[in-house]
Amino acid sequence: MLEIAKTKVALQELLQPHRRSGRRIAFVPTMGALHRGHIALVNGAKDLADVVVCSIFVNPTQFNDPTDLEKYPRPIERDIELLELAHCDILFYPSVEEMYGTNEQWQMDLGELENVLEGLHRPGHFQGVTQVLKKLFDAVHPDIACFGQKDFQQYKVVEYMVNRLKLPLRIELCPTVREPGGLAMSSRNIRLSAAGREQAQQLYKVLKQTKADLPRKTLAGLCEDATQALDNSPGIRVEYFAIFHADDFTAASEASRGRPLIALAAIWVEGVRLIDNLLLSP
Ligand code: PAF
């Protein structure tokens, strides 16, 4: 049965017996509006640990666009039902007041991760993400925390923070879950019309084409062609399309083709910002 804690104290009370019995705790942090992608994370977490804690907290400090925060879907009753069906053990569902004091400051050096792609296009976003995750990790003390590959740069940021602060937990990257047409599952997809969803499917098609073309095109050519293909698709505006090293998250160059590469993109469809990525080479 799903147990729900709205405060850190209540969460400690729920977790204490598990800790005392030496059970491993896996954590799935979310902002709610749960979909099959989140449930796959919960299922992945269940395979890795004895107890699964999911958090639902729409974190205000990671939204650089106030309209995006305002429009963020919050279907909590449905989320609870989905977590119950997935046999999640504990839901941590705190209020903003529970998580933040007044005028709290947070600044973490995230190196170049903050100056490229999502970091560049969403100033302050990763400060907010690391700020809330540090608080959530402190509250849950998980052995493992699970993150989806759709937010690959976020995963790299969390990896950086965990290493830098020497946090005693392992982070796990879980595969992106897609809708039947290939669109990566995202809480933001709810805001797309049926036509918008179909237009957005083009992103995964272009990512797959980029992977197929890798042996016969230059990296610059791949990015140009992908950007053009997306720009020419009805209803899509491209924010970026780039190829990076998947290990240290730096921009890839011809000289480093042999390293693991990942193509990443952000597009806009019907006023909704969507991101996706695909590993091009192992
Ligand atoms: O990926 C998300 O949903 C959020 O960025 C996270 C990790 C829950 C932090 O608020």
Side-chain angles (χ1 to χ4, degrees), residues 11-25 51 137-143:
L11 179 66
Q12 291 326 310
E13 276 166 17
L14 292 180
L15 284 172
Q16 238 158 37
H18 296 299
R19 285 214 188 90
R20 263 196 235 115
S21 317
R23 295 192 190 110
R24 282 171 69 74
I25 298 168
V51 180
F137 290 160
D138 285 348
V140 179
H141 286 294
D143 297 286

Side-chain angles (χ1 to χ4, degrees), residues 85-98:
L85 284 172
H87 302 290
C88 179
D89 299 293
I90 297 174
L91 166 63
F92 182 43
Y93 177 50
S95 63
V96 173
E97 295 70 34
E98 178 67 13

Side-chain angles (χ1 to χ4, degrees), residues 242-256:
I243 299 178
F244 268 51
H245 298 122
D247 45 14
D248 64 2
F249 212 74
T250 52
S253 66
E254 284 310 319
S256 54

Side-chain angles (χ1 to χ4, degrees), residues 29-31 57 59 62 129 132-133 147 151 154:
T30 82
M31 297 205 298
F57 180 65
N59 173 35
Q62 71 185 73
V129 169
V132 78
L133 282 177
F147 294 87
D151 297 290
Q154 169 172 274

Side-chain angles (χ1 to χ4, degrees), residues 199-224:
Q199 290 168 340
Q201 289 172 5
Q202 191 61 18
L203 178 52
Y204 186 50
K205 289 192 186 127
V206 169
L207 283 166
K208 282 196 297 186
Q209 190 59 50
T210 303
K211 183 171 177 160
D213 289 343
L214 181 68
R216 54 177 177 272
K217 288 188 185 172
T218 62
L219 298 187
L222 287 169
C223 290
E224 256 168 54

Side-chain angles (χ1 to χ4, degrees), residues 63-132:
F63 285 82
N64 49 329
D65 173 359
T67 322
D68 196 21
L69 173 61
E70 199 184 301
K71 286 191 183 163
Y72 205 85
R74 292 167 169 85
I76 186 63
E77 266 145 41
R78 190 169 172 274
D79 286 350
I80 290 173
E81 266 172 40
L82 289 175
L83 289 176
E84 276 168 348
L85 284 172
H87 302 290
C88 179
D89 299 293
I90 297 174
L91 166 63
F92 182 43
Y93 177 50
S95 63
V96 173
E97 295 70 34
E98 178 67 13
M99 292 303 284
Y100 289 107
T102 39
N103 293 326
E104 261 188 55
Q105 301 296 319
W106 170 267
Q107 187 61 42
M108 182 167 182
D109 177 9
L110 297 172
E112 272 309 292
L113 281 166
E114 218 178 357
N115 300 328
V116 293
L117 309 188
E118 291 302 290
L120 182 70
H121 290 274
R122 302 186 68 189
H125 171 64
F126 288 132
Q127 289 300 328
V129 169
T130 48
Q131 180 180 27
V132 78

Side-chain angles (χ1 to χ4, degrees), residues 6-57:
K6 291 189 174 180
T7 63
K8 292 176 202 162
V9 171
L11 179 66
Q12 291 326 310
E13 276 166 17
L14 292 180
L15 284 172
Q16 238 158 37
H18 296 299
R19 285 214 188 90
R20 263 196 235 115
S21 317
R23 295 192 190 110
R24 282 171 69 74
I25 298 168
F27 178 41
V28 179
T30 82
M31 297 205 298
L34 303 181
H35 48 66
R36 281 198 292 116
H38 294 113
I39 299 307
L41 290 177
V42 170
N43 289 333
K46 281 201 304 208
D47 290 342
L48 297 169
D50 309 301
V51 180
V52 177
V53 180
C54 175
S55 65
I56 294 183
F57 180 65

